[in-house]
Amino acid sequence: MRMVDLIADKRDGKEHSPEEIRFIVKGYTEGSIPDYQMSAWAMAVVLRGLTPRETAELTMAMAASGEQLDLSGIPGVKVDKHSTGGVGDKTTLVVGPLVAAAGIPVAKMSGRGLGHTGGTIDKLESIAGFQVERTREQFLAQVRDIGIAVIGQSGNLTPADKKLYALRDVTATVESVHLIASSIMSKKISAGADAILLDVKVGSGAFMKTVEAAEELARTMVEIGRQVGRKTVAVLSDMNQPLGYAVGNALEVREAIACLSGKGPDDLTELALTIGAHMLMLAGRHETFAQAREHLQELLESGAAKEKFRQLIAAQGGDTRVVDDPSLLPEAAYKLDVLAEQSGFIAKIDAEKIGRASVVLGAGRLTKEMEIDLGVGILLNGKVADPVTAGSRLATVYANSPESAETARREIMAAIEISAEPVERPNLLYTTVAAT
Ligand code: URA
């Protein structure tokens, strides 16, 4: 087999055989296929696409390219959750303990933030002492003991995807629904998931800017799941405005704790209950979605989910006192209010711009090596459609220097639009995609 022929086949719109896909993934991972050939192939895929069978084959070949986590020693259906990334998206911090409190094992590997979106692992590190690195044995033992562990991505999972994603990033070949879908699904499968719940974000702060694009990605991932025997459900949720009110690591942990105490923002609570209920359904725990959701609502109200979060923090060496006293979380030195210049209704809170303002403060990183500042961020004071009066507080900036506070304030002003006319409350949830 010669890579040049496979590139030509894809250029001409032909379908690869499973052997050919495996040859490409193996060759690229091992280095016998050079970057220039792989980029030509990736571009041919962008232009010609992949069939569902090719996409599933590519996913499994990438999942098998490195280590694969074996979760079979943990009893029960292991349902993983993945978000395509957003601003203020602290859902895992709520859904993880919530679902674990319902008795569904949560063995979660999460990422760090990059660019304008945050990462669960950084957020957890704002709890003093919290260890995100665990050996495989410690990770599995903790899930068996308390039903939940959340650690950073470690080991040599999906090296083919790591290499290909880095190449796509610099060859204008990220924008292929088939390559994105196989990249995401390969990581979930190698992390040991039996079933997968995908939170596909839609809007200005998300990778997918339109419902149509997000739905296509969701359908492609659900189809991969069907082909490879992993039940997969995708929920499309809004990312035109940040989720909840808090953006920034410690601020988001504080909001997640409020949510676990039954006092969270409506949108975060609703999304967590929806995602959690789908996870319970995927695990075969309930007959109907309504029953699953009601069960989770009870676990929030009874304090069982919050208790599970406390157990998670204790098991990973963190300071559990933050659960009852979030003021122990790191807090920035300066607070600066962002005030409305006119009365009216909030028409827009551009999630991407708010995310970028949080990066200015140091809450996120522009390169993988950058250190982040856990105490800084933005606390919004309203959501789209809320009324405001001139001079009222739109947001508070938490900063560690007056200069960064002022820059962020200006960026937040540019991100928020106020209309004189009432504005309709936007959707939080668009649609759910499941295999038929
Ligand atoms: N996220 C991923 O993990 N992979 C992609 O290809 C794009 C977004």
Side-chain angles (χ1 to χ4, degrees):
M1 230 179 274
R2 295 192 321 159
M3 185 61 180
V4 63
D5 300 326
L6 302 181
I7 298 168
D9 284 348
K10 192 41 67 189
R11 178 199 63 200
D12 298 340
K14 294 194 186 132
E15 186 180 38
H16 293 309
S17 69
E19 295 72 34
E20 287 170 344
I21 297 269
R22 287 197 290 272
F23 170 84
I24 294 169
V25 172
K26 188 161 183 283
Y28 187 56
T29 312
E30 290 172 358
S32 57
I33 294 173
D35 280 350
Y36 54 82
Q37 284 191 315
M38 197 63 181
S39 22
W41 180 79
M43 187 56 86
V45 170
V46 169
L47 300 175
R48 289 293 198 165
L50 294 174
T51 64
R53 204 178 49 78
E54 284 177 315
T55 313
E57 204 60 59
L58 176 64
T59 305
M60 291 314 269
M62 291 204 295
S65 67
E67 242 181 286
Q68 284 175 281
L69 213 56
D70 179 5
L71 301 180
S72 60
I74 300 166
V77 182
K78 271 70 67 183
V79 188
D80 205 351
K81 174 235 165 213
H82 178 80
S83 156
T84 57
V87 178
D89 184 8
K90 66 285 289 176
T91 316
T92 294
L93 298 179
V94 180
V95 168
L98 184 56
V99 168
I104 305 299
V106 176
K108 182 107 190 80
M109 281 201 177
S110 284
R112 294 193 181 274
L114 190 61
H116 69 278
T117 63
T120 300
I121 288 302
D122 296 323
K123 292 169 199 180
L124 284 170
E125 278 186 341
S126 59
I127 300 170
F130 196 100
Q131 300 296 313
V132 298
E133 282 173 25
R134 282 287 187 251
T135 64
R136 284 291 134 80
E137 294 69 33
Q138 287 172 324
F139 177 61
L140 298 178
Q142 186 178 319
V143 180
R144 273 195 298 269
D145 285 352
I146 64 162
I148 181 167
V150 184
I151 63 167
Q153 271 139 14
S154 63
N156 185 31
L157 299 184
T158 56
D161 174 63
K162 277 198 194 89
K163 208 172 164 190
L164 179 56
Y165 194 28
L167 182 75
R168 288 166 54 213
D169 211 20
V170 292
T171 55
T173 52
V174 169
E175 282 77 7
S176 150
V177 73
H178 304 111
L179 294 180
I180 297 172
S182 54
S183 165
I184 293 172
M185 291 295 281
S186 68
K187 285 180 276 224
K188 295 288 108 185
I189 291 166
S190 71
D194 298 320
I196 300 159
L197 184 286
L198 300 160
D199 179 11
V200 180
K201 300 289 187 192
V202 188
S204 72
F207 212 62
M208 295 290 152
K209 306 290 179 200
T210 65
V211 174
E212 292 70 32
E215 199 166 338
E216 193 192 356
L217 176 62
R219 289 199 185 290
T220 309
M221 292 192 285
V222 167
E223 173 60 20
I224 293 174
R226 195 185 66 76
Q227 295 232 6
V228 307
R230 307 295 201 284
K231 266 199 263 175
T232 304
V233 171
V235 169
L236 266 62
S237 73
D238 187 65
M239 194 34 71
N240 282 302
Q241 60 179 332
L243 185 65
Y245 296 94
V247 179
N249 300 285
L251 291 171
E252 292 191 38
V253 171
R254 190 186 272 248
E255 191 167 72
I257 292 169
C259 195
L260 286 164
S261 309
K263 297 187 203 113
D266 292 347
D267 58 349
L268 175 61
T269 307
E270 179 58 33
L271 185 62
L273 288 170
T274 302
I275 287 177
H278 280 299
M279 291 173 76
L280 261 55
M281 295 295 289
L282 282 166
R285 186 50 67 92
H286 289 279
E287 290 284 308
T288 69
F289 181 81
Q291 285 169 354
R293 198 180 181 289
E294 204 179 304
H295 182 189
L296 294 178
Q297 183 94 48
E298 283 162 17
L299 293 171
L300 269 190
E301 283 165 12
S302 69
K306 181 168 151 178
E307 206 40 50
K308 192 53 81 178
F309 189 49
R310 194 193 311 273
Q311 283 179 18
L312 168 69
I313 297 172
Q316 294 188 222
D319 182 355
T320 54
R321 292 175 306 160
V322 300
V323 176
D324 299 313
D325 184 2
S327 72
L328 293 168
L329 289 162
E331 198 176 294
Y334 299 91
K335 283 188 207 151
L336 180 64
D337 285 340
V338 182
L339 303 178
E341 286 174 344
Q342 66 195 86
S343 299
F345 300 85
I346 301 178
K348 185 172 184 181
I349 307 176
D350 189 302
E352 183 164 0
K353 288 186 182 157
I354 296 289
R356 292 198 191 289
S358 78
V359 174
V360 165
L361 293 166
R365 49 172 87 72
L366 295 171
T367 63
K368 277 190 194 144
E369 293 71 33
M370 263 171 78
E371 286 252 336
I372 58 173
D373 193 338
L374 296 166
V376 300
I378 298 155
L379 197 57
L380 296 165
N381 195 39
K383 303 290 291 185
V384 171
D386 285 354
V388 291
T389 50
S392 67
R393 186 164 53 87
L394 292 173
T396 303
V397 179
Y398 288 69
N400 273 329
S401 79
E403 296 76 27
S404 63
E406 179 50 27
T407 311
R409 190 194 66 79
R410 272 187 267 116
E411 296 200 1
I412 295 165
M413 285 302 286
I416 300 180
E417 285 175 19
I418 294 172
S419 133
E421 304 300 323
V423 174
E424 220 179 290
R425 209 162 276 287
N427 284 338
L428 169 67
L429 295 162
Y430 296 98
T431 186
T432 303
V433 179
T436 46

